[in-house]
Amino acid sequence: MVQTLNYLKESASQTAGPYVHIGLAPGAAGFDIYATELGRDITGPNAKGNRITVTGTVTDGTGAPVKDVLIEVWQANAAGIYPGKGEVEDGFRGWGRVVPDFESGKFSFETVKPGQVMGRNGRAMAPHLNLWLVSRGINIGLNTRMYFGDESDANEKDPVLNLVEQAHRRETLIARADGDSYHFDICLQGDGETVFFDV
Amino acid sequence: MTTAELYQRDREWHPPALTQDYKTSVARSPRFALLSLQNSDSELTGPTFGHSDFAPLDNDLIRNYAQSGDPIGERIIVHGRVLDENGRPVPNTLVEVWQANAGGRYRHKKDSYLAPIDPNFGGCGRTLTDDQGNYVFRTVKPGAYPWRNWVNNWRPAHIHVSVFGTAFAQRLITQMYFEGDPLIAKCPIVKSIPDQRAIDQLVAALDLNATTPLDSIAYKFDIVLRGHRSTFFENRPEGN
Ligand SMILES: [Fe+2]
């Protein structure tokens, strides 16, 4: 026998289920209950930088849209500062929730384009949004990142994109740029499967 | 600047993405291995919330949607602590819950189970933990409900729970079950968890010490988030 280490174990994940909206976005479930629903506004009114729109669809292994997914976004501001790590604009939360249209499965949200953030060992990370996906059929939330198609130079040096061994799979993490609009589809399984991270 | 990393998530303790007996996971589970990332600020920072984000009844599901009286059902208190793997409390963190009503019906436009909607029950609540990591909700005990998986699957009574912690990589959604429920052992979603000890950790204990006598019975449910290492990593620019 040896001494016990006495660490606790993390509570095991369970699927968010089909009715995740009741808890996290009740307006989408069809009712109003809170004075202010959390996660509706990522940036607040005072955020500096480029205002952008991100659209896309999450698809499953059969190619069908995942209409009941809920996506959380976490990002730095345009200066590359995460809330809690330094001064950000008043009202900039850097976090939001995205629910697609229940009929089409298409999602759309607005934010500002984040700046570069310092990564490990002094290597800058290209601008990116951190995404976390939960839904019915997802047993433990899926982490991924969205990079920007108009940041080729920064993306080429990005330490995380460069961890992806197969170069063509890096493309699954890069949104197509069209002016201030970006298109980013997420594929849970199969051809073009998005790279997901164990963070 | 230095930031403390998190303990690696124990992927043998959590359910895997693909669990055949929970059929919806089959087409919604990635086939490639997850790419393991060492933590950076993108994972170690996370959103914070303040008391101004909440209204006083947000954690009282008996009252926060009541129109003409109290909801039907067994009145319960659900309380506990949010801790990390080092056993330290996680203060001021957002805990959100959602659940079916006492008949097993959700207030959701996609739920068509024949049990009726309760006009006085919304089915969601939220709160911040206090400075010791404590939280409390008041609600009614949710009913079991059937779901389409096999023809005859019933979910044990459960409350869905979402927790933040301080780092986005601590983000967790789980479900709380109730002591003594015979449906727990039969549920394919519960059994997506490979380790029985991890299942037991999701079963709230009847807590008679925390009841409100002649009013509400109580269950205690502690939630554990990933812990921080005591060592730090460097993210200074090279040469500094
Ligand atoms: Fe449920």
Side-chain angles (χ1 to χ4, degrees):
Chain A
M1 294 293 281
V2 297
Q3 296 183 2
T4 33
L5 287 170
N6 282 326
Y7 291 110
L8 302 180
K9 293 295 287 184
E10 185 186 12
S11 300
S13 173
Q14 290 271 262
T15 179
Y19 307 123
V20 56
H21 318 95
I22 295 175
L24 307 190
F31 66 110
D32 275 318
I33 183 163
Y34 298 133
T36 49
E37 213 169 274
L38 298 170
R40 286 282 184 87
D41 182 1
I42 299 174
T43 64
N46 305 310
K48 300 190 183 74
N50 277 359
R51 297 262 158 194
I52 62 169
T53 303
V54 179
T55 58
T57 307
V58 181
T59 52
D60 69 13
T62 73
V66 180
K67 298 172 181 175
D68 52 6
V69 73
L70 183 138
I71 305 171
E72 289 193 1
V73 182
W74 172 242
Q75 65 165 98
N77 70 2
I81 300 168
Y82 282 107
K85 271 313 253 195
E87 281 291 302
V88 295
E89 299 89 335
D90 195 29
F92 182 87
R93 181 107 69 182
W95 169 84
R97 284 176 171 154
V98 179
V99 174
D101 179 81
F102 284 170
E103 302 305 317
S104 68
K106 291 187 166 65
F107 67 78
S108 175
F109 63 95
E110 284 164 22
T111 185
V112 295
K113 190 173 177 184
Q116 293 208 2
V117 174
M118 189 57 71
R120 297 174 67 94
N121 306 313
R123 290 182 68 190
M125 296 189 284
H128 63 276
L129 309 178
N130 305 286
L131 305 177
W132 187 66
L133 283 69
V134 293
S135 82
R136 177 173 67 103
I138 295 179
N139 285 328
I140 178 165
L142 293 168
N143 290 89
T144 188
R145 290 184 178 193
M146 187 196 102
Y147 287 84
F148 294 84
D150 50 5
E151 295 280 349
S152 324
D153 289 351
N155 290 344
E156 266 171 43
K157 296 186 205 116
D158 182 83
V160 170
L161 286 173
N162 279 294
L163 281 179
V164 183
E165 191 179 330
Q166 301 87 356
H168 68 278
R169 292 203 71 212
R170 289 173 204 156
E171 301 301 319
T172 69
L173 299 174
I174 302 174
R176 193 175 72 232
D178 178 14
D180 291 330
S181 295
Y182 295 86
H183 190 81
F184 187 64
D185 290 327
I186 299 172
C187 176
L188 297 184
Q189 184 191 96
D191 283 345
E193 182 174 307
T194 300
V195 174
F196 296 102
F197 299 114
D198 185 6
V199 299
Chain B
M1 176 164 303
T2 55
T3 312
E5 293 176 74
L6 295 166
Y7 298 138
Q8 175 176 292
R9 193 162 243 166
D10 184 351
R11 294 278 170 178
E12 295 178 334
W13 182 258
H14 286 284
L18 172 61
T19 46
Q20 295 285 351
D21 286 343
Y22 175 26
K23 294 182 184 180
T24 315
S25 75
V26 174
R28 292 185 170 191
S29 44
R31 286 292 175 269
F32 291 114
L34 300 178
L35 181 60
S36 292
L37 279 194
Q38 288 182 288
N39 297 155
S40 71
D41 281 350
S42 294
E43 291 77 38
L44 293 174
T45 55
T48 52
F49 304 90
H51 290 282
S52 62
D53 290 316
F54 304 95
L57 290 180
D58 281 1
N59 68 338
D60 184 356
L61 285 72
I62 287 183
R63 288 283 157 76
N64 69 8
Y65 199 75
Q67 317 289 316
S68 56
D70 286 349
I72 300 288
E74 189 179 338
R75 299 160 67 85
I76 63 170
I77 291 163
V78 175
H79 77 111
R81 295 178 88 192
V82 181
L83 304 164
D84 68 16
E85 289 171 293
N86 295 311
R88 293 193 196 103
V90 183
N92 303 312
T93 201
L94 176 59
V95 181
E96 295 162 292
V97 296
W98 67 101
Q99 63 169 92
N101 67 24
R105 174 76 182 269
Y106 283 98
R107 182 176 287 280
H108 191 289
K109 49 187 170 191
K110 297 282 180 193
D111 188 3
S112 55
Y113 179 39
L114 53 80
I117 290 280
D118 185 330
N120 293 309
F121 193 66
C124 62
R126 58 188 191 182
T127 192
L128 286 180
T129 56
D130 69 13
D131 55 5
Q132 295 301 310
N134 297 295
Y135 73 90
V136 62
F137 290 96
R138 190 170 73 148
T139 184
V140 295
K141 190 173 178 188
Y145 60 84
W147 59 296
R148 289 179 189 280
N149 189 61
W150 303 323
V151 167
N152 194 21
N153 274 125
W154 293 78
R155 292 304 323 279
H158 62 279
I159 298 177
H160 297 267
V161 184
S162 161
V163 198
F164 278 75
T166 56
F168 199 53
Q170 287 175 302
R171 194 76 181 82
L172 180 73
I173 285 179
T174 187
Q175 300 183 28
M176 179 198 115
Y177 303 99
F178 291 85
E179 178 180 351
D181 188 340
L183 290 170
I184 295 171
K186 301 190 180 304
C187 177
I189 289 177
V190 172
K191 290 198 286 189
S192 68
I193 300 172
D195 192 314
Q196 183 60 41
R197 294 168 300 169
I199 294 173
D200 295 344
Q201 194 179 328
L202 299 184
V203 181
L206 176 68
D207 182 2
L208 285 176
N209 291 343
T211 58
T212 305
L214 306 178
D215 180 325
S216 302
I217 203 164
Y219 289 87
K220 183 160 192 281
F221 186 64
D222 288 338
I223 302 157
V224 181
L225 302 179
R226 296 170 69 184
H228 285 91
R229 301 173 67 94
S230 53
T231 51
F232 296 85
F233 79 85
E234 296 292 328
N235 63 352
R236 288 184 307 223
E238 273 161 12
N240 282 17

